[in-house]
Amino acid sequence: MGKVISIANQKGGVGKTTTAINLAASLAAIEHPTLVIDIDPQSNTTSGLGIDSKTVSNSIYEVMIGSTDVEDTIRQTELDFLDLIPAHINLVGAEIEMIDRDERERILFKVLTELREKYDFIVIDCPPSLGLLTINALTASNSIVIPVQCEYFALEGLGQLLNTIKIVRQHLNPNLDIEGVLLTMYDTRTRLSNQVADEVKRYFDDRVFKSVIARNVRLAEAPSFGKPALLYDSTSVGAKNYLALAREIIKRNKKLFKDSPVLTD
């Protein structure tokens, strides 16, 4: 059964969508069947994988309001082992439309039940908020990756996110784990990045990934071409950083995939 990982931080601009795209692509490049789900109304993960959200007729929105079967929303990407469930701007109103539904926090959990057998990893790009869409993602997930940018106020707002995780554990998903905290936009040339990294490690201890995502021009350019970094420029620092992160996550989850012939990479 596949592992569901949410990429979440209610603070914008921390590299959340970049992480969703490139972690999913890197897991797929290592030949782990991977599905990435875009539940952010901005639909940047969708466009970052080469799909214009304006042309999408079946998206995660239709699935969550119950008008479309999830299998009809899955789109193939340029990578053989990577599929996408796209987002659409209509997601803006989804939380209001779901508010009166029974077990509204578990809608995505029920949707993913039939997909867990098909994929090794399901990566969810959450919106930059702690609303009903993010709660759905956390309720459906085994774990959460928290991107933290190496800039001033890096830890700002994380207390609220950790409190939300605690509430979800208490009432909706007792098995939700923190997969790890990911340092993003790291610049080895600046003292600030090192200071922030030290601060985050003091706060989260061994839950901080060893892999760090460096500030990288090619990584920033890739979404405008509708490609993950490893397809845009596989030799770039950003592509290598996310491949390292994917391998670190696979290594942490070896017990889940003990029968996988590609686990040794």
Side-chain angles (χ1 to χ4, degrees), residues 193-206:
S193 283
N194 292 311
Q195 290 174 338
V196 170
D198 290 342
E199 184 180 9
V200 171
K201 288 172 184 175
R202 277 198 303 271
Y203 194 85
F204 288 101
D205 197 27
D206 60 354

Side-chain angles (χ1 to χ4, degrees), residues 138 141-143 168-169 172-178:
L138 298 181
S141 295
N142 300 105
S143 65
V168 170
R169 282 174 175 162
L172 296 166
N173 182 5
N175 298 316
L176 179 64
D177 191 20
I178 295 179

Side-chain angles (χ1 to χ4, degrees), residues 30-145:
I30 305 172
E31 299 188 3
H32 280 277
T34 301
L35 173 68
V36 58
I37 303 175
D38 189 355
I39 64 164
D40 185 344
Q42 298 176 82
S43 62
N44 289 334
T45 290
T46 299
S47 60
L49 287 170
I51 295 173
D52 183 354
S53 64
K54 294 177 183 177
T55 67
V56 171
S57 55
N58 290 328
S59 70
I60 192 63
Y61 165 75
E62 283 77 19
V63 173
M64 296 192 75
I65 65 169
S67 66
T68 299
D69 186 82
V70 67
E71 292 286 349
D72 295 330
T73 68
I74 297 174
R75 306 277 290 262
Q76 291 182 319
T77 71
E78 287 188 64
L79 285 163
D80 289 340
F81 289 86
L82 181 62
D83 290 341
L84 166 72
I85 295 180
H88 190 275
I89 190 62
N90 289 344
L91 266 175
V92 168
E95 294 188 350
I96 297 173
E97 294 180 60
M98 294 189 298
I99 200 72
D100 292 326
R101 289 184 59 180
D102 293 336
E103 295 194 300
R104 58 183 181 269
E105 300 91 354
R106 299 182 184 273
I107 293 171
L108 191 58
F109 174 83
K110 295 174 182 177
V111 166
L112 296 187
T113 299
E114 59 193 273
L115 297 179
R116 287 175 182 261
E117 301 295 334
K118 185 176 178 181
Y119 298 97
D120 284 355
F121 290 98
I122 298 175
V123 177
I124 306 174
D125 182 21
C126 298
S129 69
L130 296 177
L132 189 53
L133 289 172
T134 297
I135 297 298
N136 260 266
L138 298 181
T139 301
S141 295
N142 300 105
S143 65
I144 175 174
V145 169

Side-chain angles (χ1 to χ4, degrees), residues 10 14 64 121 134 153 160 185-186 198 213 219 249 263:
Q10 80 274 19
V14 299
M64 296 192 75
F121 290 98
T134 297
F153 308 120
Q160 187 180 357
M185 306 177 197
Y186 188 87
D198 290 342
I213 310 304
L219 186 62
I249 288 176
L263 195 59

